[in-house]
């Protein structure tokens, strides 16, 4: 009998009704009800006991192949047996993104509403490529995208109630590629396809790598992918002046600027690009501007954070991931565009077998023409459930609580003279490190010790660098299993990122995380003394 915390798998002689051959229907309602209850209980107990597991999976590469059979079973196996194997073999290989002690990357926050919406979407299992294929799937998506756009106070030009509209993509990568292709084709229709080698796109050195991948797929020449350097002094924000200088040089060289990607909440440090001034530059050259707010877009439903997307009215498109910090579960990227026709001209197909009167009436949206794939999931159901189950004010409260916890952690860092905040905190992610002064003092001690060694001692202690020590700190924190953080390197600085946003996180977890950081820092800093 397998178990997960307090959950016990019921005895059934090792076979479910399905395995016994009691039903030959793979979607039998009563068997679905029985197994479905078991899976819900399993997941509920997983969340109840999630803190018992190391946050970062401790398995070695290839572990699962050693545990599972080399071929699929010929005869049915019971759900009890399968769930037992999930607990024994799968759970150890999971890095627990929903753990309250998860502070890595950016959050992938979940909720009961998001989970149940996903269940409904999976249960209906519609393939909503056009309006006819399931009218509710299309119309609900259009409605919730206008709801959410209103919550963000996006200009009406981005909403269906204006002349724009919103669509749910899988990820930001897809949103960027779709808008880039639209911008590419808009220009090529004017200058000719043979001039694709002249097209240039722009971003900062803090822009997510998804943009470079999109540019490769869209056929932008690698030399025409222009990166604007950023500096610590400007908190790694893109400089409009540097952008203009680069564009001017490119135009003089006979190139054609078409696309700028600006970011609100970069991955490394949550830096914010100045949207208004950047859009002003892009407008002078007729460029498409896409605003990537994958992480930080969520918090902009709070009035006190809305200023971070001031200037968005000058952009052509805007996106954020509801599956990051908006409790909607992967995958759900919200994309708005001012000119949906630009998307559909690049992405639409019209085969005979998809023709229908609704499409021909021009009164409906066919979302297949707003995305890369033809098939699409009923994602709007889970976003609808999240918006209805929690409401605007409660969602704001969730987000504000995460910012409050990030401020708490920031206070701990600032109160310890051994640490420093590397860049100003904008949202609920703090970038910090052991300060250079703490490491300098440590190296001074090592230097004194090394200087007193006998000549016969041929292995003096190596002076540790700031980046090496902070890298060692992060590794030791994560090996503890009690907390999980990730890092970045910006301006040559190795920093630790503490991202608050897991749905189960409370202040006690932040306090415990700081205790882990202090304990590991004590061990690392002291070890460089005690070895002599």
């Amino acid at each position: 009998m397998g178990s997960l915390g307090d959950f016990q798998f019921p005895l059934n002689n090792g076979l479910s009704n399905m395995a016994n051959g009691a039903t030959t229907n793979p979607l039998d309602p009563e068997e679905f009800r029985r197994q479905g209850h078991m899976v819900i209980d399993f997941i509920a107990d997983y969340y109840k006991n999630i803190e018992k597991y190391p946050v970062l999976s401790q398995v070695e590469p290839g572990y699962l192949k050693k545990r599972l059979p080399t071929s699929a079973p010929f005869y049915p196996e019971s759900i009890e047996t399968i769930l037992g194997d999930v607990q024994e073999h799968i759970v150890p290989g999971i890095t627990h993104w929903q753990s309250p002690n998860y502070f890595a990357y950016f959050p992938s926050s979940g909720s009961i509403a998001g989970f149940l919406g996903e269940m409904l979407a999976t249960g209906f299992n519609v393939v909503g490529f056009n309006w006819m294929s399931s009218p509710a799937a299309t119309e609900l998506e259009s409605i919730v995208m206008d709801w959410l756009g209103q919550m963000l106070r996006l200009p009406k030009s981005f909403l269906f109630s204006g002349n724009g509209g919103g669509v749910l993509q899988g990820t930001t990568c897809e949103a960027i590629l779709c808008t880039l292709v639209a911008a590419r084709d808009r220009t090529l229709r004017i200058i000719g396809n043979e001039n694709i080698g002249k097209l240039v796109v722009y971003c900062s050195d803090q822009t997510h790598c998804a943009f470079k991948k999109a540019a490769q797929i869209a056929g932008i020449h690698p030399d025409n992918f222009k990166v604007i350097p950023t500096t610590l002094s400007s908190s790694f924000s893109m400089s409009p002046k540097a952008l203009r200088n680069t564009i001017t040089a490119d135009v003089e060289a006979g190139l054609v600027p078409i696309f700028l990607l600006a970011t609100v909440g970069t991955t490394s440090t949550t830096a914010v690009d100045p949207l208004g001034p950047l859009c002003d530059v892009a407008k002078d050259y007729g460029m498409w501007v896409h605003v990537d707010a994958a992480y930080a877009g969520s918090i902009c439903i709070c009035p006190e954070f809305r200023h971070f997307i001031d200037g968005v009215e000058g952009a052509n498109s805007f996106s954020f991931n509801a599956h990051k910090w908006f409790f909607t579960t992967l995958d759900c990227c919200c994309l708005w565009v001012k000119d949906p026709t630009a998307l559909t001209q690049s992405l639409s197909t019209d085969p005979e077998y998809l023709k229908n009167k609704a499409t021909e009436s021009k009164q409906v949206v066919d979302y297949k023409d707003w995305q890369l794939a033809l098939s699409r999931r009923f994602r709007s159901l889970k976003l609808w459930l999240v918006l209805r189950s929690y409401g605007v004010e409660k969602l704001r409260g969730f987000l504000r609580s995460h910012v409050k916890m990030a401020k708490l952690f920031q206070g701990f860092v600032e109160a310890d003279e051994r640490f420093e905040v590397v860049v100003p905190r904008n949202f609920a992610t703090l970038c910090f490190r052991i300060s250079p002064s703490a490491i300098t003092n440590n190296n001074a001690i090592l230097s004194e010790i090394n200087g007193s060694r006998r000549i016969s001692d041929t292995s003096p202690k190596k002076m540790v660098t700031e980046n090496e020590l902070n890298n060692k700190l992060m590794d030791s924190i994560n090996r503890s299993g009690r907390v999980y953080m990730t890092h970045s390197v910006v301006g040559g600085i190795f920093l630790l990122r503490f991202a608050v946003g897991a749905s189960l996180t409370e202040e006690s977890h932040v306090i415990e995380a700081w205790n882990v950081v202090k304990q590991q820092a004590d061990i690392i800093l002291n070890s460089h003394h005690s070895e002599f």
Side-chain angles (χ1 to χ4, degrees):
M1 180 184 295
S3 66
L4 175 63
D6 298 328
F7 178 61
Q8 299 290 319
F9 300 121
L11 289 171
N12 197 27
N13 296 322
L15 293 174
S16 68
N17 293 339
M18 180 88 64
N20 273 325
T23 177
T24 57
N25 185 347
L27 205 54
D28 176 75
E30 293 310 312
E31 184 61 19
F32 173 65
R33 189 188 315 278
R34 187 187 77 85
Q35 295 191 31
H37 281 304
M38 291 182 65
V39 172
I40 291 290
D41 285 342
F42 184 97
I43 295 171
D45 279 314
Y46 167 72
Y47 286 131
K48 181 178 179 180
N49 295 285
I50 197 168
E51 289 190 71
K52 296 179 181 178
Y53 305 112
V55 188
L56 177 64
S57 174
Q58 306 294 304
V59 301
E60 298 293 331
Y63 90 100
L64 195 55
K65 187 175 182 180
K66 300 174 183 177
R67 296 187 178 205
L68 298 186
T70 56
S71 60
F74 188 77
Y75 294 106
E77 294 184 282
S78 70
I79 189 65
E80 293 86 352
T81 299
I82 296 168
L83 287 179
D85 284 348
V86 170
Q87 175 60 34
E88 184 176 355
H89 303 307
I90 303 302
V91 172
I94 293 175
T95 289
H96 302 280
W97 285 65
Q98 305 309 310
S99 169
N101 298 306
Y102 182 97
F103 302 102
Y105 303 109
F106 281 134
S108 179
S109 58
S111 65
I112 295 171
F115 184 81
L116 296 180
E118 186 70 54
M119 287 180 63
L120 283 172
T122 302
F124 291 134
N125 200 27
V126 303
V127 186
F129 44 80
N130 61 12
W131 183 88
M132 279 291 291
S133 64
S134 273
T138 294
E139 297 196 12
L140 183 62
E141 186 161 333
S142 300
I143 290 168
V144 297
M145 289 303 287
D146 266 14
W147 282 8
L148 194 48
Q150 291 163 8
M151 290 164 62
L152 290 163
R153 289 172 28 212
L154 290 180
K156 194 169 183 179
S157 56
F158 279 106
L159 309 182
F160 284 105
S161 54
N163 294 315
V167 57
L168 293 176
Q169 303 280 355
T171 66
T172 297
C173 303
E174 297 169 43
I176 292 173
L177 180 54
C178 287
T179 54
L180 175 56
V181 166
R184 178 199 67 187
D185 292 351
R186 184 180 68 171
T187 300
L188 291 179
R189 279 190 286 270
I190 298 171
I191 68 173
N193 291 340
E194 68 275 10
N195 289 307
I196 190 172
K198 295 181 179 181
L199 304 185
V200 192
V201 301
Y202 303 85
C203 64
S204 87
D205 58 7
Q206 300 302 305
T207 300
H208 195 279
C209 62
F211 183 37
K212 187 168 187 180
K213 184 173 186 176
Q216 292 171 189
I217 295 171
I220 304 301
H221 192 283
D223 292 342
N224 293 347
F225 184 85
K226 298 301 179 76
V227 178
I228 309 301
T230 62
T231 62
L232 177 60
S233 61
S234 63
S235 298
F236 301 106
S237 177
M238 193 190 312
S239 163
K241 182 179 179 181
L243 173 65
R244 185 180 291 278
N245 291 341
T246 304
I247 294 175
T248 300
D250 289 339
V251 171
E252 291 175 353
L255 300 176
V256 182
I258 64 161
F259 193 95
L260 168 67
L261 190 115
T263 307
V264 177
T266 60
T267 301
S268 288
T269 65
T270 72
V272 176
D273 292 332
L275 301 187
L278 290 173
C279 287
D280 289 342
V281 174
K283 184 178 180 181
D284 291 344
Y285 297 93
M287 298 168 61
W288 184 297
V289 179
H290 177 72
V291 177
D292 172 15
Y295 162 64
S298 301
I299 195 70
C300 293
I301 68 168
C302 300
E304 68 271 29
F305 288 93
R306 172 56 176 75
H307 67 91
F308 283 108
I309 58 172
D310 285 353
V312 69
E313 60 274 7
N316 300 80
S317 52
F318 173 88
S319 66
F320 89 90
N321 288 345
H323 60 248
K324 272 191 169 66
W325 196 18
F326 207 69
F327 316 101
T328 309
T329 71
L330 192 71
D331 55 357
C332 189
C333 173
C334 306
L335 168 67
W336 290 267
V337 292
K338 282 183 176 177
D339 181 13
T341 302
L343 282 184
T344 58
Q345 285 182 321
S346 291
L347 302 172
S348 65
T349 53
D350 188 30
E352 182 63 35
Y353 49 80
L354 292 183
K355 289 182 179 179
N356 61 85
K357 291 182 180 179
T359 297
E360 292 168 359
S361 74
K362 307 294 184 183
Q363 296 179 358
V364 300
V365 174
D366 286 344
Y367 274 125
K368 70 179 179 62
D369 299 329
W370 293 51
Q371 63 174 28
L372 300 176
L374 174 65
S375 301
R376 62 195 327 269
R377 303 177 64 245
F378 200 167
R379 294 188 185 97
S380 57
L381 265 177
K382 59 182 176 181
L383 185 55
W384 189 49
L385 259 71
V386 167
L387 295 176
R388 293 191 63 192
S389 297
Y390 306 120
V392 177
E393 199 54 37
K394 194 160 189 177
L395 287 166
R396 287 172 175 168
F398 291 152
L399 296 166
R400 286 167 175 154
S401 72
H402 292 155
V403 174
K404 182 181 178 182
M405 286 187 275
K407 288 180 178 178
L408 175 65
F409 190 84
Q410 179 178 347
F412 294 146
V413 171
E414 292 175 339
D416 191 322
E417 62 183 10
R418 300 174 301 169
F419 291 88
E420 68 174 6
V421 175
V422 178
V423 294
R425 179 195 50 77
N426 288 323
F427 308 106
T429 298
L430 188 78
C431 299
F432 72 103
R433 65 172 177 168
I434 296 176
S435 69
S437 60
I439 299 170
T440 299
N441 293 338
N442 195 48
N443 277 336
I445 295 171
L446 294 178
S447 179
E448 182 178 342
I449 294 173
N450 286 338
S452 65
R453 285 180 176 273
R454 294 179 308 212
I455 296 176
S456 60
D457 190 340
T458 59
S459 56
K461 178 66 178 179
K462 176 188 175 184
M463 299 300 173
V464 66
T465 67
E466 299 161 15
N467 286 356
E468 288 171 340
L469 200 68
N470 280 289
N471 194 348
K472 189 173 182 179
L473 173 62
M474 187 192 69
D475 287 344
S476 63
I477 289 170
N478 292 338
R479 281 199 308 271
S480 75
R482 296 157 62 191
V483 176
Y484 182 33
M485 299 181 199
T486 47
H487 78 286
S488 190
V489 177
V490 290
I493 299 171
F494 183 104
L495 54 84
L496 287 79
R497 301 170 66 266
F498 184 81
V500 182
S503 303
L504 295 172
T505 300
E506 298 177 352
E507 285 193 1
S508 60
H509 301 105
V510 174
I511 294 170
E512 172 62 15
W514 175 244
N515 287 334
V516 173
V517 172
K518 285 196 304 180
Q519 290 166 7
Q520 297 304 321
D522 288 342
I523 294 170
I524 290 172
L525 289 172
N526 291 336
S527 68
H528 293 286
H529 299 232
S530 61
E531 291 176 12
F532 296 92

